[in-house]
Amino acid sequence: MSLLEKPDGALPVGKVLDFPAPRRSHRLRNVILAVTAAALVLGGVVAYVVFSPALALRTVVVEGNTLVSTEEIHAALAPLSGTSLTQISPDRVRGMLEDKAPIEDVRIAAEPPSTLVVTVQERIPVAVLQNGADVVLIDAEGRQLARVADRAQVKLPLIDGGTNAVNSEVFSSITAVLAELPVSVLSRLNSASAASVDSIRLSLTGDQRIFWGSSERSAEKAEVLEAMLAMPASDPPVKEFDVSTPDRPVTR
């Protein structure tokens, strides 16, 4: 009898062997190894980007500055040279320029591979003070922004009282008025003074004067004054514009 035959003549049923499935611990280990390898690769890429000499700062471009020279800003930011662009933050740049009084804020933009663009936002001068032979630009808070040698170069009003004027009680009232004036009027002012907070006076080119009164309703007074200055010249010419009561302006 053949070994492949059964007594009844039927063929033997084939048997499929079942291989054991990988244990759960093996699958988990493979996942951990894969995640770890990916993290190492990602970490290497990040480290390269952050510390790579290919992104080291070599050029600083300065924009928006008029009161602070580009050379001053370059000198202040010189310690950043060679630092990766990815490690330079706006706060870091602000901190390095905080001693520059005219600078109010800065924005930065990296231009790979090695350029940093620094855009400067400067404070706005509203008047000048006389300090010996120099003229000092000041903002509405009395902050001294810059010095200029020639008064004729600055088309801003002079506040009487020298640099000590910023310490007077009327200073904030005067600067509040100046901040409301349109450029067309501000550029014609020669000086501003006040004996008290209710008696602010301005002088214009052409020997004309303005009695402003207090700083209240300054926006309305500025509109009225601009309209009065736009009127045709009278005969005799107006010497004083009184806008202390903007509803009832007076000329003298």
Side-chain angles (χ1 to χ4, degrees), residues 228-246:
M228 295 174 74
L229 291 174
M231 293 189 303
S234 60
D235 188 17
V238 174
K239 290 294 185 181
E240 183 174 90
F241 300 90
D242 186 339
V243 293
S244 56
T245 306

Side-chain angles (χ1 to χ4, degrees), residues 71-144:
E71 291 74 17
E72 284 184 81
I73 296 175
H74 279 162
L77 300 180
L80 293 177
S81 181
T83 304
S84 175
L85 293 175
T86 59
Q87 294 181 288
I88 301 175
S89 67
D91 286 341
R92 187 174 181 181
V93 174
R94 289 187 192 102
M96 300 177 78
L97 298 175
E98 63 183 356
D99 63 333
K100 311 297 180 186
I103 297 179
E104 184 173 17
D105 198 8
V106 296
R107 300 191 309 274
I108 65 172
E111 293 186 354
S114 59
T115 298
L116 183 72
V117 178
V118 179
T119 303
V120 175
Q121 178 183 334
E122 292 184 330
R123 295 182 170 91
I124 300 174
V126 297
V128 296
L129 300 174
Q130 194 76 36
N131 184 26
D134 290 336
V135 174
V136 182
L137 299 175
I138 60 169
D139 66 3
E141 297 177 1
R143 188 182 287 103
Q144 297 187 24

Side-chain angles (χ1 to χ4, degrees), residues 185-214:
V185 177
L186 195 62
S187 62
R188 294 178 56 184
L189 290 186
N190 278 333
S191 64
S193 61
S196 68
V197 294
D198 297 322
S199 60
I200 299 171
R201 294 182 178 274
L202 311 173
S203 70
L204 294 168
T205 55
D207 196 29
Q208 290 181 310
R209 300 178 301 277
I210 302 166
F211 180 66
W212 197 271
S214 73

Side-chain angles (χ1 to χ4, degrees), residues 168-190:
S168 68
E169 63 179 354
V170 299
F171 176 80
S172 59
S173 296
I174 294 175
T175 54
V177 170
L178 299 178
E180 291 290 345
L181 292 176
V183 175
S184 60
V185 177
L186 195 62
S187 62
R188 294 178 56 184
L189 290 186
N190 278 333

